[in-house]
Amino acid sequence: MGADTPQLPVIYLSDQTLKPGDEKWVEVRSDVRKALEDYGAFEVSYDRVSEELKKSVLDAMIELFELPVEAKQRNVSPKPYTGYSTHNGLSESLGIQDSNVLEKVNEFTQLLRPDCEGNKTMSETIQKFSEKLAELDVMVRRMVIESFGIEKYFDEHLKSTNYRLRLMKYVAPPDVDANVAVGTKDSDDGGNTNTTANADAGDIANGIAKVHIDDDANAKGDVCTGVGTNHNGDDVNTGDCANVKSNVDVGTNVSAKSSVGADVNIGTIADVKANTGTRTSATVGVSDSVKANGGADDEEKKLGLPSHTDKNLLTVLYQYEIEGLEVLTKDEKWIRLKPCHNSFVVMAGDSLYALMNGRLSRPFHRVRVTERKKTRYSIALFSTPNGDYIIEPPKELVDEKHPRLFKPFTYVDLMSFYHTEAGRRPRSTLHAYCAVSGA
Ligand SMILES: O=C(O)CCC(=O)C(=O)O
Ligand SMILES: [Fe+2]
């Protein structure tokens, strides 16, 4: 690795003696603050999650993703995009709201695997893992809030938040070339097909599947061939986007070609294959904006998850062995993060960014898997503001030097806006939604 290859700061948070107020705590706290200012993210060296627990969670994920697609599709949520979703035929994810609460995890496992004997153990494993990651999340949020001298708000802040866990499975695109970079700027996303197509089972029958574009879905380049909603949960902002009108041929090799010249590869994930094998073609409704862009971005189709910012407060993420996560620096360079046993990634999302009046950053990031024939699993805990919690910076963070950047908003309203055309199109949904003009 060259000397000028950017890397995320690594912060050691395993120390059991690390206590608020201690000298060491104060020192680490300023490292956390600096990392979040500079990158909006950092790697944490954290050994408080045992290898055994991580392995059990991985086993649970493998079992859950192996379930028939019909079972996974039962993972729906009243909140859009927080249930089962897929992207580009390269990734799938499942979401568990309030994963730190055992009954909630139980409901999830029961729903996917009714009356399965192993549910109790699996639920306990997932809940325990969430709890461990939540401890890390709380520690980091406490440090952030303290670092701005506004700790008097911390308890109230903590009470107004909840957690969601996302389990993710990725494969590399079939024609992946590990040596070819996908581009270095998020603005590469500009030419993306933002096709989010859900094929109804009924349409799949005789060779022709009508794939309808779901305007409310948001991941770019999504062609979800009947395997559920589009991947990106509520925390994904895919940045610039365009809708695509294309004819998609979906054959047994499950590849699709759009009329705008982009090859859309679908179906390297087993379930997608199984579910699309009998189709011969699909018509995807498309708008004019992509034509104006001259076509979909091929490279975008190789992403397991497109470039986005998370919408929540803080994300704590663990990658199992296979790399793929890339984080964009302020000067638009992608940092590719190497998975490591005790290494978690912490990222700030739009909600924390707005709450701190823009005094931290929140990074664009994406997933690009390049290891052929290997399955990548990752898992992330998202802390999110409660539905009715008004996100606005404390008065201490607003002054002449730091004018208010955003009008007060709720996370739920930001998400609703995000799931509209106007909310998806801009690179920053947050700014489009509530930036104070002239700030
Ligand atoms: O799988 C990963 O490494 C990243 C997932 C992610 O960014 C997300 O779920 O928002
Ligand atoms: Fe993300």
Side-chain angles (χ1 to χ4, degrees), residues 235-236 305 308 310 347 365 382:
D235 299 296
V236 174
L305 201 56
H308 64 278
D310 289 348
M347 274 183 288
H365 54 283
F382 301 89

Side-chain angles (χ1 to χ4, degrees), residues 166 168 170 231-232 235-236 305 308 310 315 317-319 324-326 347 365-367 376-380 382:
R166 185 138 82 221
M168 290 159 284
Y170 299 81
H231 183 144
N232 65 359
D235 299 296
V236 174
L305 201 56
H308 64 278
D310 289 348
T315 303
L317 186 139
Y318 185 73
Q319 323 189 69
L325 178 61
E326 299 180 339
M347 274 183 288
H365 54 283
R366 68 184 185 188
V367 176
R376 172 182 186 266
Y377 291 92
S378 64
I379 184 161
F382 301 89

Side-chain angles (χ1 to χ4, degrees), residues 11-13 18-20 24-33 36 42 136-149 151 154:
I11 299 178
Y12 183 77
L13 289 178
L18 205 56
K19 294 266 160 14
K24 184 75 194 155
W25 171 275
V26 174
E27 204 179 292
V28 176
R29 186 176 79 188
S30 67
D31 293 344
V32 164
R33 162 88 175 261
L36 290 177
F42 56 92
L136 181 53
D137 163 84
V138 169
M139 190 183 342
V140 174
R141 278 197 278 157
R142 183 191 291 276
M143 285 181 174
V144 169
I145 286 177
E146 280 184 17
S147 79
F148 285 101
E151 52 273 22
F154 182 68

Side-chain angles (χ1 to χ4, degrees), residues 81 194-204 208-219 221-230 243-248 250 279 281-287 424:
Y81 310 114
N194 187 25
T195 312
T196 46
N198 296 316
D200 294 323
D203 292 328
I204 296 170
I208 304 267
K210 255 203 192 126
V211 181
H212 109 132
I213 296 213
D214 178 354
D215 265 340
D216 285 345
N218 52 5
D222 264 354
V223 178
C224 292
T225 50
V227 289
T229 58
N230 297 294
N243 291 318
V244 182
K245 215 169 201 122
S246 58
N247 292 316
V248 181
V250 185
R279 293 178 220 173
S281 79
T283 307
V284 180
V286 187
S287 81
R424 286 199 314 272

Side-chain angles (χ1 to χ4, degrees), residues 123-140:
S123 304
E124 282 167 3
T125 298
I126 292 173
Q127 187 271 342
K128 209 162 165 192
F129 186 82
S130 301
E131 213 172 62
K132 288 282 171 199
L133 263 52
E135 283 171 21
L136 181 53
D137 163 84
V138 169
M139 190 183 342
V140 174

Side-chain angles (χ1 to χ4, degrees), residues 146-282:
E146 280 184 17
S147 79
F148 285 101
I150 51 168
E151 52 273 22
K152 65 176 176 195
Y153 300 118
F154 182 68
D155 289 344
E156 182 209 327
H157 164 80
L158 212 56
K159 271 194 242 141
S160 341
T161 62
N162 57 74
Y163 288 107
R164 189 177 55 261
L165 190 72
R166 185 138 82 221
L167 324 177
M168 290 159 284
K169 175 184 176 181
Y170 299 81
V171 292
D175 56 346
V176 70
D177 175 352
N179 298 318
V180 177
V182 168
T184 55
K185 288 174 46 219
D186 182 64
S187 52
D188 290 345
D189 293 343
N192 282 328
T193 53
N194 187 25
T195 312
T196 46
N198 296 316
D200 294 323
D203 292 328
I204 296 170
N206 305 314
I208 304 267
K210 255 203 192 126
V211 181
H212 109 132
I213 296 213
D214 178 354
D215 265 340
D216 285 345
N218 52 5
K220 280 179 294 192
D222 264 354
V223 178
C224 292
T225 50
V227 289
T229 58
N230 297 294
H231 183 144
N232 65 359
D234 65 353
D235 299 296
V236 174
N237 176 0
T238 58
D240 303 339
C241 58
N243 291 318
V244 182
K245 215 169 201 122
S246 58
N247 292 316
V248 181
D249 297 320
V250 185
T252 42
N253 64 352
V254 206
S255 84
K257 232 180 184 105
S258 80
S259 63
V260 290
D263 281 326
V264 183
N265 294 312
I266 310 172
T268 43
I269 286 177
D271 291 316
V272 179
K273 255 190 195 153
N275 208 30
T276 54
T278 54
R279 293 178 220 173
T280 56
S281 79

